[in-house]
Amino acid sequence: MSILEIQGLAKNFYLHHANRDIHSCQNIDFVLEEGEFIGIVGRSGAGKSTILKCIHRTYLPTEGDIVYESLAYGRISLAHASEREILYLRNHEIGYVSQFLSIMPRTTAKEHVMQALLETGHDSGTAREKAEEMLGYFRLPEDLWDIYPNTFSGGERLRLNLAHTMVKNPRLMLLDEPTASLDNKTKILVKDMLLKLKQQGTSMIGIFHDLEFMDGLCDRVFNISEGTFA
């Protein structure tokens, strides 16, 4: 059974200062089955991240549709859903791992991971326990747990992003270069966690430049060339 259907997806950007349109992804069509992991590869600037951001509704598609089979709402268009529906889905069903850390001011690393669980209705004790377990799994040093992450290195921030998303065990997970600034030992931890989540039924779409990391993880791989799947 499919969990996500991308139908004729296109995203363009208008540069006002240059009076020109930039065509990012174009004519994207694919179906993600429940429990499947699709990998997307391609040159930088080809539109890979744009696809994920349209699914997450960070961007509104210029054309096409993204249909998600939700537990809460049934079959729903992510391109046309209300902001309230999108917020609920992000909190409860759809996870997104970015290379970049976005966090509320004056929030510690542990509070950031706990918040992901508190938003889904977990009590504070359970949220704290699971957050500490996940931070420990990704080997974020314990002396950083109660620190504001604005001083973290790139690798530490990415590990925090991974912990924040994966602690919720999302139904659909979007991964934008989840190993970009990680050492090889941490990459193994990430791969093991992704395999565990996949076995538990999480459906995933990931963008990668590390082709070796994808081996044994992705069920299908699409190459995006000049904004379209090849």
Side-chain angles (χ1 to χ4, degrees):
M1 178 178 174
S2 64
I3 188 172
L4 191 75
E5 297 178 17
I6 311 297
Q7 306 165 349
L9 178 66
K11 178 60 181 177
N12 303 328
F13 299 92
Y14 180 68
L15 301 182
H16 291 273
H17 70 279
N19 192 30
R20 59 175 294 197
D21 282 314
I22 299 295
H23 299 283
S24 188
C25 60
Q26 303 289 315
N27 302 316
I28 303 298
D29 293 278
F30 67 90
V31 174
L32 176 70
E33 302 294 336
E34 285 190 357
E36 186 182 24
F37 197 141
I38 287 180
I40 302 176
V41 300
R43 63 174 179 79
S44 296
K48 301 185 299 297
S49 293
T50 300
I51 295 171
L52 293 194
K53 288 178 179 178
C54 284
I55 298 170
H56 196 240
R57 248 285 283 281
T58 308
Y59 294 157
L60 277 172
T62 305
E63 297 177 14
D65 204 356
I66 303 162
V67 180
Y68 170 64
E69 195 67 45
S70 167
L71 292 178
Y73 305 113
R75 192 172 173 85
I76 185 171
S77 167
L78 299 181
H80 300 96
S82 69
E83 292 298 324
R84 177 176 292 184
E85 289 168 331
I86 291 295
L87 182 59
Y88 179 90
L89 291 174
R90 287 175 180 171
N91 286 341
H92 292 83
E93 297 191 30
I94 302 175
Y96 184 95
V97 177
S98 170
Q99 302 174 56
F100 310 103
L101 182 64
S102 177
I103 192 168
M104 292 291 290
R106 296 182 295 281
T107 301
T108 68
K110 183 164 66 176
E111 288 170 342
H112 182 54
V113 181
M114 286 179 61
Q115 188 62 35
L117 291 168
L118 293 172
E119 289 171 346
T120 63
H122 288 76
D123 63 81
S124 59
T126 302
R128 181 177 295 104
E129 180 182 347
K130 289 181 176 293
E132 291 177 352
E133 180 181 339
M134 191 62 74
L135 289 168
Y137 176 83
F138 283 115
R139 298 181 182 176
L140 194 71
E142 192 169 345
D143 58 1
L144 296 180
W145 293 3
D146 296 316
I147 300 295
Y148 299 144
N150 60 322
T151 60
F152 286 11
S153 69
E156 289 166 347
R157 292 182 180 210
L158 184 49
R159 278 181 278 167
L160 181 57
N161 275 342
L162 288 161
H164 176 264
T165 299
M166 293 186 181
V167 75
K168 295 191 295 184
N169 195 4
R171 188 160 178 264
L172 170 64
M173 189 155 60
L174 311 170
L175 302 132
D176 191 349
E177 289 289 352
T179 62
S181 53
L182 299 180
D183 59 82
N184 287 332
K185 289 184 178 179
T186 308
K187 285 182 180 180
I188 293 172
L189 293 175
V190 174
K191 189 168 187 176
D192 287 346
M193 181 59 73
L194 291 175
L195 287 169
K196 179 181 178 181
L197 291 174
K198 185 180 176 185
Q199 290 169 356
Q200 293 174 352
T202 297
S203 307
M204 292 178 260
I205 303 174
I207 294 171
F208 301 96
H209 281 113
D210 187 345
L211 301 185
E212 183 179 349
F213 181 86
M214 300 170 66
D215 188 36
L217 186 62
C218 296
D219 299 295
R220 289 185 290 157
V221 177
F222 292 111
N223 190 319
I224 186 169
S225 176
E226 300 300 331
T228 61
F229 276 155

